[in-house]
Amino acid sequence: MTAPKPLPPEALAPLTDPESLGFETTDELADLEEVIGQDRAVEAVRFGIGIRQDGYNMFALGPPGVGKHTMVRQFLEQQAAPDDWCYVHNFEDPQKLAALRLPAGRARPFQHDIETLIEEMRAAIPTDFESEEYRARRQAIEEEMKERHEAAFGDLQRRAQERGIATMRTPMGLALTPVRDGEVLSPEEFGKLPEEEQERIKSDIGKLQGELEEILAKMPGWERNHRARVRELDRDVARGAVAH
């Protein structure tokens, strides 16, 4: 009996012509999503995740490194419900909605919670804005603004009166005019005053007019600051109402 001849190494592996594969590298191929060689395991996993009753669990048994976790996770991700997406108001940029990603099934409860919150806030916020604490804090801001105006204009009016000049409100705004014994001097009466006194009054009015214009120029800033403080107070009260 003739002894068998040993096979050469090149005869131990099938030979494949690369030109017959239809691609240059495997980067050109789509990822393989199916599990190869685990038909019974695949059917078992499909059966397990197809059970629509509570109280059932899945247990994968096998040697380490065979892809149990990967296979089960892959099938669960394919069958799992997609996440819920909720679009809500964006307080930082009102022109763009903010997207909230929630676990599947949580969008409806979230919507209900927000609607409940809004109803509660419709009652809670007006109550806080009608409280004595809010009124006291708002009044303090208003009083501070009033005192600033009175201090600025009061000092100007006092110095004007000492020079025989009064401040008058006209359709064009505040004006300075000479007075005698509490009565405004007409142009004719002013013209009868000594020329030296007329020059003094004109000089005083010019200086006071400059100070008046400075005060008037500061008023828009005072008003902006006043509005900002009121807005911050309102935000603080609103935050207190919704913080819980």
Side-chain angles (χ1 to χ4, degrees):
M1 183 175 180
T2 304
K5 295 181 179 180
L7 296 173
E10 59 271 15
L12 300 180
L15 298 179
T16 303
D17 183 7
E19 298 296 331
S20 67
L21 298 179
F23 58 87
E24 292 292 334
T25 69
T26 55
D27 292 337
E28 302 174 17
L29 302 178
D31 293 338
L32 185 64
E33 297 182 356
E34 299 179 357
V35 179
I36 304 299
Q38 299 288 342
D39 294 342
R40 292 182 61 189
V42 169
E43 289 301 320
V45 172
R46 286 176 173 169
F47 175 77
I49 64 177
I51 299 175
R52 302 301 182 186
Q53 301 293 328
D54 294 335
Y56 289 90
N57 299 286
M58 187 178 297
F59 182 77
L61 179 64
V66 296
K68 302 183 300 297
H69 179 271
T70 301
M71 181 183 67
V72 173
R73 182 179 182 85
Q74 176 181 337
F75 277 96
L76 290 176
E77 290 178 347
Q78 292 175 355
Q79 296 296 322
D83 291 336
D84 288 345
W85 286 93
C86 300
Y87 294 93
V88 298
H89 180 73
N90 186 345
F91 290 94
E92 294 182 357
D93 188 355
Q95 301 300 322
K96 298 180 181 179
L97 294 176
L100 299 181
R101 185 175 184 176
L102 301 177
R106 290 301 308 161
R108 289 290 184 183
F110 175 74
Q111 180 186 21
H112 177 267
D113 290 344
I114 292 298
E115 291 173 349
T116 301
L117 173 65
I118 292 173
E119 289 301 320
E120 292 179 354
M121 292 303 96
R122 283 176 175 170
I125 292 178
T127 299
D128 284 1
F129 276 93
E130 293 172 359
S131 66
E132 290 297 329
E133 179 184 359
Y134 173 78
R135 292 179 181 177
R137 294 173 64 183
R138 177 68 180 266
Q139 184 64 29
I141 296 175
E142 300 293 345
E143 289 293 334
E144 184 174 333
M145 182 65 174
K146 183 179 177 181
E147 290 174 1
R148 172 176 285 183
H149 277 249
E150 291 179 348
F153 287 104
D155 180 62
L156 179 68
Q157 289 175 337
R158 178 183 57 78
R159 288 185 289 108
Q161 289 174 357
E162 292 174 353
R163 292 168 172 80
I165 300 170
T167 57
M168 296 183 60
R169 188 173 298 277
T170 69
M172 302 299 294
L174 291 176
L176 297 168
T177 183
V179 294
R180 279 293 182 273
D181 300 325
E183 297 294 332
V184 175
L185 293 180
S186 65
E188 292 78 11
E189 293 172 329
F190 180 76
K192 295 177 181 180
L193 296 176
E195 184 175 350
E196 182 179 348
E197 186 173 0
Q198 292 183 36
E199 292 300 322
R200 179 192 64 78
I201 293 176
K202 289 179 182 179
S203 175
D204 290 341
I205 288 179
K207 295 177 181 178
L208 293 171
Q209 184 66 37
E211 296 180 20
L212 176 61
E213 290 175 357
E214 290 181 3
I215 295 174
L216 296 175
K218 294 178 181 178
M219 287 185 63
W222 296 347
E223 293 291 343
R224 285 194 298 270
N225 178 262
H226 173 260
R227 291 193 297 270
R229 293 186 62 189
V230 171
R231 285 196 300 269
E232 183 57 32
L233 171 61
D234 291 346
R235 292 193 187 101
D236 187 45
V237 172
R239 281 193 295 263
V242 302
H244 65 281

